[in-house]
Amino acid sequence: MSHKSELIFRYFDQTRNLYGNQLFLEAQIASDPVQNLDSLESFNASICNCLKCELGHTRSNFVFGVGNPNADIVFVGEAPGEKEDLIGEPFVGRAGKLLDKILAAINLSREDIYICNVIKCRPPKNRDPLPREVELCEPYLKTQLSLIKPKLIVALGRIAACTILRTKEPLKNLRNKTFKYEGIDLVVTYHPAALLRNPNFKIPAWEDFQMIRDKYLIQD
Ligand code: URA
């Protein structure tokens, strides 16, 4: 079977599992938006009505990303949650508030960095993104990175890291290493929601953020 046929079969399987026999054919037909790459803002404006996958039909808002368009550090989460979907900004819920506190502890604010997700639209009931959704949405992340040109990407949590790095390794095996993504250094740390669920992760997460500060922020 060709790669394309495999993808089509996989898509129909996933759709059937999610929605039964009611198929979302319009999502198949929707074409790639014409992209304006002049700036992050114009790129967002050109893709924010994207209907390439079925998440475009269930979202309240397309969650492009926020922060400094010239940031040295880009934080990448998995996908918008309920609050992010309603407001249209990443990390605005409880996990986002904790992220703000951790950033403040290394003298950073949202104005210094850029925050976005691998997937720009909320998966229903916050389920994990499907391979097809990643395949269609990840090019947007790559374009964002090519416009921002950061020195470092920080993947927040196992799903974001495993999606980007195409691995199934547990998070503990991905910490304390530097990977490359689109030619840019990438490190992995806990998702702030995991720190809320399990406070034992706070100490190793703090070590990760201290490493980020010492290696990428302190200039002599
Ligand atoms: N979790 C994520 O991964 N991203 C958000 O934007 C919010 C919660």
Side-chain angles (χ1 to χ4, degrees), residues 63 76-85 89-96 110 115-119 126 156-157 159-160 191-193:
V63 183
V76 182
E78 171 188 339
E82 188 178 12
K83 213 158 184 184
E84 290 76 20
D85 175 60
E89 266 193 37
F91 287 96
V92 286
R94 274 183 74 217
R110 291 222 178 188
I115 310 186
C116 59
N117 288 299
V118 182
I119 300 284
N126 298 343
L156 294 169
I159 304 274
H191 194 288

Side-chain angles (χ1 to χ4, degrees), residues 32-37 39-50 140:
D32 232 324
V34 177
Q35 300 179 10
N36 179 328
L37 306 185
S39 66
L40 273 182
E41 234 174 47
S42 54
F43 180 49
N44 182 15
S46 68
I47 63 169
C48 66
N49 295 315
C50 176
Y140 294 154

Side-chain angles (χ1 to χ4, degrees), residues 94-128:
R94 274 183 74 217
K97 302 267 174 302
L98 177 58
L99 180 62
D100 287 345
K101 282 190 191 159
I102 303 172
L103 290 174
I106 57 167
N107 286 324
L108 288 177
S109 73
R110 291 222 178 188
E111 286 76 52
D112 300 311
I113 55 138
Y114 194 85
I115 310 186
C116 59
N117 288 299
V118 182
I119 300 284
K120 309 301 186 209
C121 301
R122 182 191 182 205
K125 298 186 185 147
N126 298 343
R127 63 158 168 73
D128 290 351

Side-chain angles (χ1 to χ4, degrees), residues 82-184:
E82 188 178 12
K83 213 158 184 184
E84 290 76 20
D85 175 60
L86 289 176
I87 295 176
E89 266 193 37
F91 287 96
V92 286
R94 274 183 74 217
K97 302 267 174 302
L98 177 58
L99 180 62
D100 287 345
K101 282 190 191 159
I102 303 172
L103 290 174
I106 57 167
N107 286 324
L108 288 177
S109 73
R110 291 222 178 188
E111 286 76 52
D112 300 311
I113 55 138
Y114 194 85
I115 310 186
C116 59
N117 288 299
V118 182
I119 300 284
K120 309 301 186 209
C121 301
R122 182 191 182 205
K125 298 186 185 147
N126 298 343
R127 63 158 168 73
D128 290 351
L130 301 175
R132 176 185 136 80
E133 292 157 0
V134 173
E135 196 175 316
L136 291 170
C137 211
E138 191 182 13
Y140 294 154
L141 172 65
K142 291 185 179 177
T143 303
Q144 282 176 302
L145 293 169
S146 73
L147 290 167
I148 301 169
K149 300 187 181 59
K151 293 198 182 101
L152 177 68
I153 300 161
V154 181
L156 294 169
R158 197 186 65 84
I159 304 274
C162 290
T163 306
I164 291 176
L165 296 172
R166 303 284 188 275
T167 174
K168 292 194 159 77
E169 291 286 325
L171 186 119
K172 65 175 170 28
N173 294 0
L174 301 172
R175 291 181 52 245
N176 298 312
K177 290 183 182 145
T178 306
F179 301 90
K180 286 277 181 194
Y181 181 69
E182 299 293 287
I184 303 162

